[in-house]
Amino acid sequence: MNRIYFAAAAAMLAGAPVQAAQQQPAPTAGVPHTVHGELILYQDTNYNGDDWTVEGAKSTVHTDWNIRSVAVHPGDRWQICARSRYRDPCIILDRNVPDAAMIGIDTQIGSARPAPEPAVASAAPN
């Protein structure tokens, strides 16, 4: 069974600003090359080993290996759920994660899809 500790992950990500979309710089050591609209799952920490690219919404995600790191294109936001069909528990990921254990992923995820942008609170008229 998937074990994902989303409460701890949500606490780590809470309040973190979403990075503005920007032109992708040339990849450097330790920084994965990403493309807008794709989530990349890696077999090893620090974006090493086999990788699997999630392009768009996938109601079922499964790799033949445990997920150890995750890459997100700057400005993208992904909803990652422990169970298939986007069922809770889920987290929103808006940055690269060199060690997936830091956000509670220690084996697999169940599903993933681009996350909607957060609603902007409007000021009430006077």
Side-chain angles (χ1 to χ4, degrees):
M1 175 171 218
N2 293 343
R3 292 183 351 152
I4 302 180
Y5 302 98
F6 284 95
M12 287 178 52
L13 296 174
V18 176
Q19 300 173 358
Q22 57 186 343
Q23 188 175 23
Q24 179 70 20
T28 59
V31 178
H33 174 73
T34 57
V35 175
H36 175 66
E38 294 181 349
L39 175 74
I40 306 173
L41 309 172
Y42 291 90
Q43 181 178 14
D44 297 323
T45 58
N46 298 313
Y47 322 108
N48 292 304
D50 288 343
D51 62 78
W52 193 67
T53 301
V54 179
E55 298 172 342
K58 297 289 183 204
S59 62
T60 302
V61 173
H62 179 77
T63 62
D64 291 334
W65 32 260
N66 290 336
I67 298 165
R68 298 290 185 219
S69 53
V70 181
V72 175
H73 186 73
D76 284 0
R77 294 167 32 94
W78 283 82
Q79 180 185 38
I80 299 173
C81 301
R83 300 175 358 168
S84 63
R85 297 186 308 254
Y86 319 109
R87 293 177 291 158
D88 285 333
C90 300
I91 60 170
I92 302 294
L93 193 59
D94 66 352
R95 67 189 71 191
N96 293 333
V97 180
D99 183 353
M102 294 174 58
I103 60 169
I105 298 173
D106 62 354
T107 56
Q108 296 284 315
I109 61 174
S111 52
R113 63 182 169 187
E117 289 298 319
V120 177
S122 61
N126 291 334

